[in-house]
PDB file of all heavy atoms in Angstrom:
ATOM      1  N   TYR A 247     171.587  88.950 108.911  1.00 97.00           N
ATOM      2  CA  TYR A 247     172.698  89.699 108.328  1.00 97.00           C
ATOM      3  C   TYR A 247     172.807  91.037 109.086  1.00 97.00           C
ATOM      4  O   TYR A 247     173.698  91.824 108.754  1.00 97.00           O
ATOM      5  CB  TYR A 247     172.481  89.984 106.874  1.00 97.00           C
ATOM      6  CG  TYR A 247     172.666  88.706 106.028  1.00 97.00           C
ATOM      7  CD1 TYR A 247     171.711  88.365 105.008  1.00 97.00           C
ATOM      8  CD2 TYR A 247     173.847  87.949 106.140  1.00 97.00           C
ATOM      9  CE1 TYR A 247     172.014  87.274 104.256  1.00 97.00           C
ATOM     10  CE2 TYR A 247     174.032  86.883 105.289  1.00 97.00           C
ATOM     11  CZ  TYR A 247     173.125  86.522 104.361  1.00 97.00           C
ATOM     12  OH  TYR A 247     173.300  85.414 103.551  1.00 97.00           O
ATOM     13  N   GLY A 248     171.936  91.328 110.113  1.00 97.00           N
ATOM     14  CA  GLY A 248     172.049  92.632 110.735  1.00 97.00           C
ATOM     15  C   GLY A 248     171.286  93.716 110.002  1.00 97.00           C
ATOM     16  O   GLY A 248     171.385  94.849 110.355  1.00 97.00           O
ATOM     17  N   LEU A 249     170.365  93.383 109.073  1.00 98.00           N
ATOM     18  CA  LEU A 249     169.599  94.306 108.323  1.00 98.00           C
ATOM     19  C   LEU A 249     168.189  94.526 109.051  1.00 98.00           C
ATOM     20  O   LEU A 249     167.743  93.581 109.658  1.00 98.00           O
ATOM     21  CB  LEU A 249     169.318  93.797 106.924  1.00 98.00           C
ATOM     22  CG  LEU A 249     170.489  93.480 106.086  1.00 98.00           C
ATOM     23  CD1 LEU A 249     170.061  92.700 104.848  1.00 98.00           C
ATOM     24  CD2 LEU A 249     171.221  94.815 105.613  1.00 98.00           C
ATOM     25  N   VAL A 250     167.747  95.711 109.035  1.00 98.00           N
ATOM     26  CA  VAL A 250     166.423  96.035 109.705  1.00 98.00           C
ATOM     27  C   VAL A 250     165.392  96.493 108.728  1.00 98.00           C
ATOM     28  O   VAL A 250     165.723  97.036 107.678  1.00 98.00           O
ATOM     29  CB  VAL A 250     166.639  97.072 110.834  1.00 98.00           C
ATOM     30  CG1 VAL A 250     167.508  96.532 111.951  1.00 98.00           C
ATOM     31  CG2 VAL A 250     167.157  98.364 110.342  1.00 98.00           C
ATOM     32  N   ASP A 251     164.190  96.254 109.020  1.00 98.00           N
ATOM     33  CA  ASP A 251     162.990  96.648 108.227  1.00 98.00           C
ATOM     34  C   ASP A 251     163.014  96.071 106.862  1.00 98.00           C
ATOM     35  O   ASP A 251     162.441  96.618 105.859  1.00 98.00           O
ATOM     36  CB  ASP A 251     162.942  98.145 108.092  1.00 98.00           C
ATOM     37  CG  ASP A 251     162.691  98.812 109.447  1.00 98.00           C
ATOM     38  OD1 ASP A 251     162.002  98.222 110.327  1.00 98.00           O
ATOM     39  OD2 ASP A 251     163.100  99.981 109.653  1.00 98.00           O
ATOM     40  N   MET A 252     163.645  94.928 106.595  1.00 97.00           N
ATOM     41  CA  MET A 252     163.546  94.270 105.325  1.00 97.00           C
ATOM     42  C   MET A 252     162.100  93.724 105.127  1.00 97.00           C
ATOM     43  O   MET A 252     161.644  93.541 103.987  1.00 97.00           O
ATOM     44  CB  MET A 252     164.529  93.096 105.291  1.00 97.00           C
ATOM     45  CG  MET A 252     165.958  93.476 105.163  1.00 97.00           C
ATOM     46  SD  MET A 252     166.414  94.479 103.767  1.00 97.00           S
ATOM     47  CE  MET A 252     166.437  93.172 102.466  1.00 97.00           C
ATOM     48  N   ILE A 253     161.389  93.496 106.223  1.00 97.00           N
ATOM     49  CA  ILE A 253     160.006  93.084 106.115  1.00 97.00           C
ATOM     50  C   ILE A 253     159.200  94.136 106.823  1.00 97.00           C
ATOM     51  O   ILE A 253     159.441  94.512 107.939  1.00 97.00           O
ATOM     52  CB  ILE A 253     159.738  91.692 106.794  1.00 97.00           C
ATOM     53  CG1 ILE A 253     160.699  90.651 106.064  1.00 97.00           C
ATOM     54  CG2 ILE A 253     158.268  91.315 106.698  1.00 97.00           C
ATOM     55  CD1 ILE A 253     160.340  90.472 104.635  1.00 97.00           C
ATOM     56  N   GLY A 254     158.081  94.656 106.193  1.00 97.00           N
ATOM     57  CA  GLY A 254     157.207  95.559 106.817  1.00 97.00           C
ATOM     58  C   GLY A 254     157.815  96.966 106.820  1.00 97.00           C
ATOM     59  O   GLY A 254     158.801  97.293 106.149  1.00 97.00           O
ATOM     60  N   ASN A 255     157.134  97.904 107.396  1.00 98.00           N
ATOM     61  CA  ASN A 255     157.375  99.363 107.461  1.00 98.00           C
ATOM     62  C   ASN A 255     157.101  99.981 106.082  1.00 98.00           C
ATOM     63  O   ASN A 255     156.124 100.616 105.974  1.00 98.00           O
ATOM     64  CB  ASN A 255     158.797  99.580 107.936  1.00 98.00           C
ATOM     65  CG  ASN A 255     158.886 100.922 108.684  1.00 98.00           C
ATOM     66  OD1 ASN A 255     157.898 101.640 108.885  1.00 98.00           O
ATOM     67  ND2 ASN A 255     160.065 101.278 109.177  1.00 98.00           N
ATOM     68  N   VAL A 256     158.013  99.790 105.096  1.00 98.00           N
ATOM     69  CA  VAL A 256     157.697 100.315 103.718  1.00 98.00           C
ATOM     70  C   VAL A 256     158.014  99.301 102.727  1.00 98.00           C
ATOM     71  O   VAL A 256     159.026  98.578 102.832  1.00 98.00           O
ATOM     72  CB  VAL A 256     158.427 101.701 103.424  1.00 98.00           C
ATOM     73  CG1 VAL A 256     157.872 102.748 104.266  1.00 98.00           C
ATOM     74  CG2 VAL A 256     159.925 101.573 103.618  1.00 98.00           C
ATOM     75  N   TRP A 257     157.237  99.245 101.607  1.00 98.00           N
ATOM     76  CA  TRP A 257     157.709  98.605 100.433  1.00 98.00           C
ATOM     77  C   TRP A 257     159.014  99.208  99.901  1.00 98.00           C
ATOM     78  O   TRP A 257     159.178 100.430 100.136  1.00 98.00           O
ATOM     79  CB  TRP A 257     156.679  98.613  99.286  1.00 98.00           C
ATOM     80  CG  TRP A 257     155.481  97.738  99.468  1.00 98.00           C
ATOM     81  CD1 TRP A 257     154.213  98.024  99.872  1.00 98.00           C
ATOM     82  CD2 TRP A 257     155.392  96.414  99.070  1.00 98.00           C
ATOM     83  NE1 TRP A 257     153.367  96.968  99.859  1.00 98.00           N
ATOM     84  CE2 TRP A 257     154.120  95.935  99.378  1.00 98.00           C
ATOM     85  CE3 TRP A 257     156.370  95.425  98.595  1.00 98.00           C
ATOM     86  CZ2 TRP A 257     153.723  94.580  99.170  1.00 98.00           C
ATOM     87  CZ3 TRP A 257     155.933  94.121  98.352  1.00 98.00           C
ATOM     88  CH2 TRP A 257     154.545  93.677  98.655  1.00 98.00           C
ATOM     89  N   GLU A 258     159.804  98.463  99.235  1.00 98.00           N
ATOM     90  CA  GLU A 258     161.097  99.022  98.740  1.00 98.00           C
ATOM     91  C   GLU A 258     161.237  98.772  97.231  1.00 98.00           C
ATOM     92  O   GLU A 258     161.003  97.604  96.764  1.00 98.00           O
ATOM     93  CB  GLU A 258     162.298  98.413  99.512  1.00 98.00           C
ATOM     94  CG  GLU A 258     162.217  98.776 100.974  1.00 98.00           C
ATOM     95  CD  GLU A 258     163.372  98.240 101.761  1.00 98.00           C
ATOM     96  OE1 GLU A 258     164.420  97.868 101.196  1.00 98.00           O
ATOM     97  OE2 GLU A 258     163.281  98.223 103.079  1.00 98.00           O
ATOM     98  N   TRP A 259     161.710  99.811  96.514  1.00 98.00           N
ATOM     99  CA  TRP A 259     161.955  99.632  95.055  1.00 98.00           C
ATOM    100  C   TRP A 259     163.112  98.766  94.891  1.00 98.00           C
ATOM    101  O   TRP A 259     164.139  98.751  95.588  1.00 98.00           O
ATOM    102  CB  TRP A 259     162.280 101.045  94.451  1.00 98.00           C
ATOM    103  CG  TRP A 259     161.106 101.973  94.355  1.00 98.00           C
ATOM    104  CD1 TRP A 259     160.985 103.106  95.079  1.00 98.00           C
ATOM    105  CD2 TRP A 259     160.090 101.948  93.440  1.00 98.00           C
ATOM    106  NE1 TRP A 259     159.804 103.776  94.616  1.00 98.00           N
ATOM    107  CE2 TRP A 259     159.274 103.044  93.603  1.00 98.00           C
ATOM    108  CE3 TRP A 259     159.737 101.032  92.377  1.00 98.00           C
ATOM    109  CZ2 TRP A 259     158.094 103.346  92.868  1.00 98.00           C
ATOM    110  CZ3 TRP A 259     158.572 101.314  91.700  1.00 98.00           C
ATOM    111  CH2 TRP A 259     157.755 102.393  91.830  1.00 98.00           C
ATOM    112  N   THR A 260     163.066  97.954  93.827  1.00 98.00           N
ATOM    113  CA  THR A 260     164.231  97.219  93.335  1.00 98.00           C
ATOM    114  C   THR A 260     164.292  97.644  91.819  1.00 98.00           C
ATOM    115  O   THR A 260     163.506  98.233  91.207  1.00 98.00           O
ATOM    116  CB  THR A 260     164.129  95.706  93.369  1.00 98.00           C
ATOM    117  OG1 THR A 260     163.131  95.265  92.374  1.00 98.00           O
ATOM    118  CG2 THR A 260     163.702  95.245  94.742  1.00 98.00           C
ATOM    119  N   SER A 261     165.538  97.338  91.314  1.00 98.00           N
ATOM    120  CA  SER A 261     165.833  97.672  89.899  1.00 98.00           C
ATOM    121  C   SER A 261     165.206  96.726  88.904  1.00 98.00           C
ATOM    122  O   SER A 261     165.278  97.011  87.667  1.00 98.00           O
ATOM    123  CB  SER A 261     167.337  97.816  89.691  1.00 98.00           C
ATOM    124  OG  SER A 261     167.996  96.602  89.909  1.00 98.00           O
ATOM    125  N   THR A 262     164.646  95.680  89.355  1.00 97.00           N
ATOM    126  CA  THR A 262     164.212  94.523  88.467  1.00 97.00           C
ATOM    127  C   THR A 262     162.838  94.918  87.814  1.00 97.00           C
ATOM    128  O   THR A 262     161.831  95.158  88.608  1.00 97.00           O
ATOM    129  CB  THR A 262     164.155  93.264  89.211  1.00 97.00           C
ATOM    130  OG1 THR A 262     165.396  92.961  89.752  1.00 97.00           O
ATOM    131  CG2 THR A 262     163.578  92.095  88.307  1.00 97.00           C
ATOM    132  N   PRO A 263     162.704  94.980  86.512  1.00 95.00           N
ATOM    133  CA  PRO A 263     161.458  95.085  85.912  1.00 95.00           C
ATOM    134  C   PRO A 263     160.538  94.026  86.317  1.00 95.00           C
ATOM    135  O   PRO A 263     160.832  92.858  86.496  1.00 95.00           O
ATOM    136  CB  PRO A 263     161.659  95.030  84.340  1.00 95.00           C
ATOM    137  CG  PRO A 263     163.142  95.339  84.275  1.00 95.00           C
ATOM    138  CD  PRO A 263     163.798  94.774  85.541  1.00 95.00           C
ATOM    139  N   TYR A 264     159.133  94.341  86.568  1.00 95.00           N
ATOM    140  CA  TYR A 264     158.205  93.359  87.042  1.00 95.00           C
ATOM    141  C   TYR A 264     157.590  92.593  85.828  1.00 95.00           C
ATOM    142  O   TYR A 264     157.280  93.181  84.780  1.00 95.00           O
ATOM    143  CB  TYR A 264     157.107  94.057  87.814  1.00 95.00           C
ATOM    144  CG  TYR A 264     156.034  93.061  88.248  1.00 95.00           C
ATOM    145  CD1 TYR A 264     156.125  92.328  89.432  1.00 95.00           C
ATOM    146  CD2 TYR A 264     154.899  92.815  87.433  1.00 95.00           C
ATOM    147  CE1 TYR A 264     155.260  91.381  89.845  1.00 95.00           C
ATOM    148  CE2 TYR A 264     153.952  91.871  87.899  1.00 95.00           C
ATOM    149  CZ  TYR A 264     154.101  91.195  89.033  1.00 95.00           C
ATOM    150  OH  TYR A 264     153.177  90.248  89.415  1.00 95.00           O
ATOM    151  N   SER A 265     157.460  91.294  86.017  1.00 90.00           N
ATOM    152  CA  SER A 265     156.625  90.466  85.178  1.00 90.00           C
ATOM    153  C   SER A 265     156.007  89.411  86.056  1.00 90.00           C
ATOM    154  O   SER A 265     156.483  89.119  87.144  1.00 90.00           O
ATOM    155  CB  SER A 265     157.428  89.875  84.037  1.00 90.00           C
ATOM    156  OG  SER A 265     158.467  88.987  84.582  1.00 90.00           O
ATOM    157  N   PRO A 266     154.882  88.895  85.566  1.00 91.00           N
ATOM    158  CA  PRO A 266     154.140  87.980  86.494  1.00 91.00           C
ATOM    159  C   PRO A 266     154.664  86.684  86.813  1.00 91.00           C
ATOM    160  O   PRO A 266     153.995  85.942  87.668  1.00 91.00           O
ATOM    161  CB  PRO A 266     152.749  87.855  85.781  1.00 91.00           C
ATOM    162  CG  PRO A 266     153.052  88.153  84.337  1.00 91.00           C
ATOM    163  CD  PRO A 266     154.154  89.111  84.328  1.00 91.00           C
ATOM    164  N   ARG A 267     155.755  86.257  86.229  1.00 87.00           N
ATOM    165  CA  ARG A 267     156.449  85.013  86.642  1.00 87.00           C
ATOM    166  C   ARG A 267     157.903  85.218  86.727  1.00 87.00           C
ATOM    167  O   ARG A 267     158.545  85.950  85.975  1.00 87.00           O
ATOM    168  CB  ARG A 267     156.121  83.832  85.614  1.00 87.00           C
ATOM    169  CG  ARG A 267     154.660  83.546  85.514  1.00 87.00           C
ATOM    170  CD  ARG A 267     154.120  82.795  86.750  1.00 87.00           C
ATOM    171  NE  ARG A 267     154.687  81.425  86.795  1.00 87.00           N
ATOM    172  CZ  ARG A 267     154.506  80.663  87.805  1.00 87.00           C
ATOM    173  NH1 ARG A 267     153.886  81.062  88.854  1.00 87.00           N
ATOM    174  NH2 ARG A 267     155.063  79.379  87.866  1.00 87.00           N
ATOM    175  N   HIS A 268     158.555  84.543  87.720  1.00 84.00           N
ATOM    176  CA  HIS A 268     159.982  84.617  87.934  1.00 84.00           C
ATOM    177  C   HIS A 268     160.798  84.273  86.664  1.00 84.00           C
ATOM    178  O   HIS A 268     161.846  84.796  86.418  1.00 84.00           O
ATOM    179  CB  HIS A 268     160.431  83.877  89.091  1.00 84.00           C
ATOM    180  CG  HIS A 268     160.315  84.529  90.402  1.00 84.00           C
ATOM    181  ND1 HIS A 268     160.808  85.881  90.571  1.00 84.00           N
ATOM    182  CD2 HIS A 268     159.846  84.176  91.600  1.00 84.00           C
ATOM    183  CE1 HIS A 268     160.621  86.231  91.913  1.00 84.00           C
ATOM    184  NE2 HIS A 268     160.005  85.218  92.444  1.00 84.00           N
ATOM    185  N   ASP A 269     160.322  83.315  85.984  1.00 66.00           N
ATOM    186  CA  ASP A 269     161.152  82.740  84.821  1.00 66.00           C
ATOM    187  C   ASP A 269     161.244  83.928  83.750  1.00 66.00           C
ATOM    188  O   ASP A 269     162.151  83.837  82.980  1.00 66.00           O
ATOM    189  CB  ASP A 269     160.509  81.512  84.221  1.00 66.00           C
ATOM    190  CG  ASP A 269     159.093  81.585  84.013  1.00 66.00           C
ATOM    191  OD1 ASP A 269     158.407  82.563  84.387  1.00 66.00           O
ATOM    192  OD2 ASP A 269     158.482  80.595  83.394  1.00 66.00           O
ATOM    193  N   VAL A 270     160.334  84.850  83.752  1.00 47.00           N
ATOM    194  CA  VAL A 270     160.382  86.001  82.826  1.00 47.00           C
ATOM    195  C   VAL A 270     161.205  87.104  83.459  1.00 47.00           C
ATOM    196  O   VAL A 270     162.129  87.631  82.890  1.00 47.00           O
ATOM    197  CB  VAL A 270     158.995  86.441  82.434  1.00 47.00           C
ATOM    198  CG1 VAL A 270     159.123  87.666  81.570  1.00 47.00           C
ATOM    199  CG2 VAL A 270     158.270  85.290  81.715  1.00 47.00           C
ATOM    200  N   ALA A 271     160.786  87.486  84.712  1.00 49.00           N
ATOM    201  CA  ALA A 271     161.453  88.663  85.370  1.00 49.00           C
ATOM    202  C   ALA A 271     162.979  88.395  85.546  1.00 49.00           C
ATOM    203  O   ALA A 271     163.752  89.264  85.344  1.00 49.00           O
ATOM    204  CB  ALA A 271     160.736  88.836  86.678  1.00 49.00           C
ATOM    205  N   VAL A 272     163.215  87.186  85.990  1.00 49.00           N
ATOM    206  CA  VAL A 272     164.691  86.954  86.339  1.00 49.00           C
ATOM    207  C   VAL A 272     165.509  86.936  85.033  1.00 49.00           C
ATOM    208  O   VAL A 272     166.596  87.455  85.044  1.00 49.00           O
ATOM    209  CB  VAL A 272     164.793  85.553  87.088  1.00 49.00           C
ATOM    210  CG1 VAL A 272     166.248  85.194  87.244  1.00 49.00           C
ATOM    211  CG2 VAL A 272     164.105  85.727  88.443  1.00 49.00           C
ATOM    212  N   SER A 273     165.036  86.397  83.981  1.00 45.00           N
ATOM    213  CA  SER A 273     165.810  86.316  82.821  1.00 45.00           C
ATOM    214  C   SER A 273     166.088  87.758  82.257  1.00 45.00           C
ATOM    215  O   SER A 273     167.062  87.981  81.584  1.00 45.00           O
ATOM    216  CB  SER A 273     165.075  85.513  81.701  1.00 45.00           C
ATOM    217  OG  SER A 273     163.881  86.169  81.268  1.00 45.00           O
ATOM    218  N   ARG A 274     165.224  88.720  82.526  1.00 49.00           N
ATOM    219  CA  ARG A 274     165.487  90.108  82.130  1.00 49.00           C
ATOM    220  C   ARG A 274     166.596  90.727  82.920  1.00 49.00           C
ATOM    221  O   ARG A 274     167.314  91.510  82.347  1.00 49.00           O
ATOM    222  CB  ARG A 274     164.193  90.865  82.334  1.00 49.00           C
ATOM    223  CG  ARG A 274     163.102  90.584  81.300  1.00 49.00           C
ATOM    224  CD  ARG A 274     161.889  91.465  81.638  1.00 49.00           C
ATOM    225  NE  ARG A 274     160.818  91.327  80.700  1.00 49.00           N
ATOM    226  CZ  ARG A 274     159.636  91.829  80.884  1.00 49.00           C
ATOM    227  NH1 ARG A 274     159.372  92.533  81.969  1.00 49.00           N
ATOM    228  NH2 ARG A 274     158.724  91.601  79.943  1.00 49.00           N
ATOM    229  N   SER A 275     166.716  90.379  84.205  1.00 51.00           N
ATOM    230  CA  SER A 275     167.718  91.066  84.991  1.00 51.00           C
ATOM    231  C   SER A 275     169.009  90.330  85.205  1.00 51.00           C
ATOM    232  O   SER A 275     170.048  90.998  85.029  1.00 51.00           O
ATOM    233  CB  SER A 275     167.075  91.371  86.383  1.00 51.00           C
ATOM    234  OG  SER A 275     166.612  90.126  86.947  1.00 51.00           O
ATOM    235  N   LEU A 276     169.029  89.158  85.472  1.00 47.00           N
ATOM    236  CA  LEU A 276     170.234  88.418  85.707  1.00 47.00           C
ATOM    237  C   LEU A 276     170.579  87.180  84.941  1.00 47.00           C
ATOM    238  O   LEU A 276     171.653  86.803  84.851  1.00 47.00           O
ATOM    239  CB  LEU A 276     170.341  87.952  87.230  1.00 47.00           C
ATOM    240  CG  LEU A 276     170.476  89.111  88.281  1.00 47.00           C
ATOM    241  CD1 LEU A 276     170.612  88.583  89.613  1.00 47.00           C
ATOM    242  CD2 LEU A 276     171.681  89.982  87.963  1.00 47.00           C
ATOM    243  N   GLY A 277     169.531  86.545  84.339  1.00 45.00           N
ATOM    244  CA  GLY A 277     169.759  85.360  83.628  1.00 45.00           C
ATOM    245  C   GLY A 277     169.910  84.156  84.551  1.00 45.00           C
ATOM    246  O   GLY A 277     171.055  83.705  84.684  1.00 45.00           O
ATOM    247  N   LEU A 278     168.931  83.677  85.062  1.00 40.00           N
ATOM    248  CA  LEU A 278     169.044  82.569  86.001  1.00 40.00           C
ATOM    249  C   LEU A 278     169.225  81.215  85.381  1.00 40.00           C
ATOM    250  O   LEU A 278     168.895  81.033  84.188  1.00 40.00           O
ATOM    251  CB  LEU A 278     167.771  82.492  86.937  1.00 40.00           C
ATOM    252  CG  LEU A 278     167.590  83.610  87.867  1.00 40.00           C
ATOM    253  CD1 LEU A 278     166.295  83.494  88.650  1.00 40.00           C
ATOM    254  CD2 LEU A 278     168.784  83.822  88.702  1.00 40.00           C
ATOM    255  N   THR A 279     169.761  80.226  86.176  1.00 37.00           N
ATOM    256  CA  THR A 279     169.871  78.902  85.748  1.00 37.00           C
ATOM    257  C   THR A 279     169.186  77.979  86.736  1.00 37.00           C
ATOM    258  O   THR A 279     168.731  78.488  87.825  1.00 37.00           O
ATOM    259  CB  THR A 279     171.307  78.459  85.596  1.00 37.00           C
ATOM    260  OG1 THR A 279     172.011  78.594  86.913  1.00 37.00           O
ATOM    261  CG2 THR A 279     172.051  79.325  84.612  1.00 37.00           C
ATOM    262  N   ASP A 280     169.008  76.779  86.454  1.00 39.00           N
ATOM    263  CA  ASP A 280     168.515  75.727  87.311  1.00 39.00           C
ATOM    264  C   ASP A 280     167.051  76.041  87.742  1.00 39.00           C
ATOM    265  O   ASP A 280     166.664  75.837  88.856  1.00 39.00           O
ATOM    266  CB  ASP A 280     169.292  75.531  88.533  1.00 39.00           C
ATOM    267  CG  ASP A 280     170.721  75.057  88.157  1.00 39.00           C
ATOM    268  OD1 ASP A 280     170.887  74.358  87.224  1.00 39.00           O
ATOM    269  OD2 ASP A 280     171.610  75.405  89.004  1.00 39.00           O
ATOM    270  N   VAL A 281     166.170  76.530  86.878  1.00 33.00           N
ATOM    271  CA  VAL A 281     164.810  76.785  87.217  1.00 33.00           C
ATOM    272  C   VAL A 281     164.166  75.426  87.463  1.00 33.00           C
ATOM    273  O   VAL A 281     164.248  74.514  86.727  1.00 33.00           O
ATOM    274  CB  VAL A 281     164.089  77.538  86.087  1.00 33.00           C
ATOM    275  CG1 VAL A 281     162.701  77.706  86.415  1.00 33.00           C
ATOM    276  CG2 VAL A 281     164.729  78.931  85.940  1.00 33.00           C
ATOM    277  N   SER A 282     163.415  75.385  88.659  1.00 33.00           N
ATOM    278  CA  SER A 282     162.772  74.082  89.010  1.00 33.00           C
ATOM    279  C   SER A 282     161.304  74.274  89.257  1.00 33.00           C
ATOM    280  O   SER A 282     160.730  75.156  88.672  1.00 33.00           O
ATOM    281  CB  SER A 282     163.495  73.527  90.241  1.00 33.00           C
ATOM    282  OG  SER A 282     163.334  74.466  91.329  1.00 33.00           O
ATOM    283  N   ALA A 283     160.758  73.519  90.142  1.00 31.00           N
ATOM    284  CA  ALA A 283     159.323  73.453  90.408  1.00 31.00           C
ATOM    285  C   ALA A 283     158.453  74.573  90.048  1.00 31.00           C
ATOM    286  O   ALA A 283     158.602  75.675  90.614  1.00 31.00           O
ATOM    287  CB  ALA A 283     159.103  73.079  91.844  1.00 31.00           C
ATOM    288  N   THR A 284     157.484  74.444  89.112  1.00 30.00           N
ATOM    289  CA  THR A 284     156.592  75.482  88.800  1.00 30.00           C
ATOM    290  C   THR A 284     155.298  75.251  89.584  1.00 30.00           C
ATOM    291  O   THR A 284     154.939  74.160  90.011  1.00 30.00           O
ATOM    292  CB  THR A 284     156.224  75.485  87.311  1.00 30.00           C
ATOM    293  OG1 THR A 284     155.619  74.271  86.917  1.00 30.00           O
ATOM    294  CG2 THR A 284     157.431  75.738  86.422  1.00 30.00           C
ATOM    295  N   SER A 285     154.538  76.368  89.830  1.00 29.00           N
ATOM    296  CA  SER A 285     153.327  76.257  90.549  1.00 29.00           C
ATOM    297  C   SER A 285     152.421  77.467  90.231  1.00 29.00           C
ATOM    298  O   SER A 285     152.876  78.543  90.032  1.00 29.00           O
ATOM    299  CB  SER A 285     153.633  76.276  92.123  1.00 29.00           C
ATOM    300  OG  SER A 285     152.422  76.433  92.809  1.00 29.00           O
ATOM    301  N   ALA A 286     151.160  77.173  90.230  1.00 29.00           N
ATOM    302  CA  ALA A 286     150.238  78.262  89.925  1.00 29.00           C
ATOM    303  C   ALA A 286     150.026  79.155  91.136  1.00 29.00           C
ATOM    304  O   ALA A 286     149.671  80.346  91.052  1.00 29.00           O
ATOM    305  CB  ALA A 286     148.823  77.752  89.536  1.00 29.00           C
ATOM    306  N   GLY A 287     150.269  78.612  92.279  1.00 31.00           N
ATOM    307  CA  GLY A 287     150.100  79.361  93.541  1.00 31.00           C
ATOM    308  C   GLY A 287     148.628  79.795  93.740  1.00 31.00           C
ATOM    309  O   GLY A 287     147.730  79.288  93.086  1.00 31.00           O
ATOM    310  N   HIS A 288     148.508  80.641  94.757  1.00 31.00           N
ATOM    311  CA  HIS A 288     147.122  81.203  94.978  1.00 31.00           C
ATOM    312  C   HIS A 288     147.230  82.522  95.658  1.00 31.00           C
ATOM    313  O   HIS A 288     148.343  82.819  96.171  1.00 31.00           O
ATOM    314  CB  HIS A 288     146.287  80.223  95.758  1.00 31.00           C
ATOM    315  CG  HIS A 288     146.782  80.025  97.181  1.00 31.00           C
ATOM    316  ND1 HIS A 288     147.773  79.219  97.587  1.00 31.00           N
ATOM    317  CD2 HIS A 288     146.276  80.556  98.304  1.00 31.00           C
ATOM    318  CE1 HIS A 288     147.916  79.343  98.901  1.00 31.00           C
ATOM    319  NE2 HIS A 288     147.011  80.062  99.389  1.00 31.00           N
ATOM    320  N   CYS A 289     146.183  83.230  95.656  1.00 40.00           N
ATOM    321  CA  CYS A 289     146.295  84.601  96.211  1.00 40.00           C
ATOM    322  C   CYS A 289     145.620  84.671  97.632  1.00 40.00           C
ATOM    323  O   CYS A 289     144.578  85.352  97.864  1.00 40.00           O
ATOM    324  CB  CYS A 289     145.541  85.620  95.270  1.00 40.00           C
ATOM    325  SG  CYS A 289     145.748  87.265  95.715  1.00 40.00           S
ATOM    326  N   ALA A 290     146.237  84.028  98.503  1.00 39.00           N
ATOM    327  CA  ALA A 290     145.750  84.058 100.030  1.00 39.00           C
ATOM    328  C   ALA A 290     144.330  83.903 100.081  1.00 39.00           C
ATOM    329  O   ALA A 290     143.766  82.972  99.476  1.00 39.00           O
ATOM    330  CB  ALA A 290     146.234  85.408 100.616  1.00 39.00           C
TER     331      ALA A 290
END
């Protein structure tokens, strides 16, 4: 899109309140639909 430093350099604030899963965080900010595949993930 012609954007620079979207990755690296500095972390960037967003207006979205943080919660440990997207299904919680997203519902607080925009109200998502079509939530699919869940995963526990891992921490590198």
Side-chain angles (χ1 to χ4, degrees):
Y247 287 133
L249 302 167
V250 296
D251 294 333
M252 291 297 285
I253 301 300
N255 212 0
V256 292
W257 283 101
E258 298 182 15
W259 289 108
T260 73
S261 62
T262 300
Y264 177 85
S265 62
R267 296 289 288 172
H268 273 312
D269 48 353
V270 177
V272 171
S273 66
R274 285 179 178 172
S275 55
L276 289 185
L278 293 182
T279 58
D280 297 334
V281 174
S282 60
T284 61
S285 170
H288 68 281
C289 188

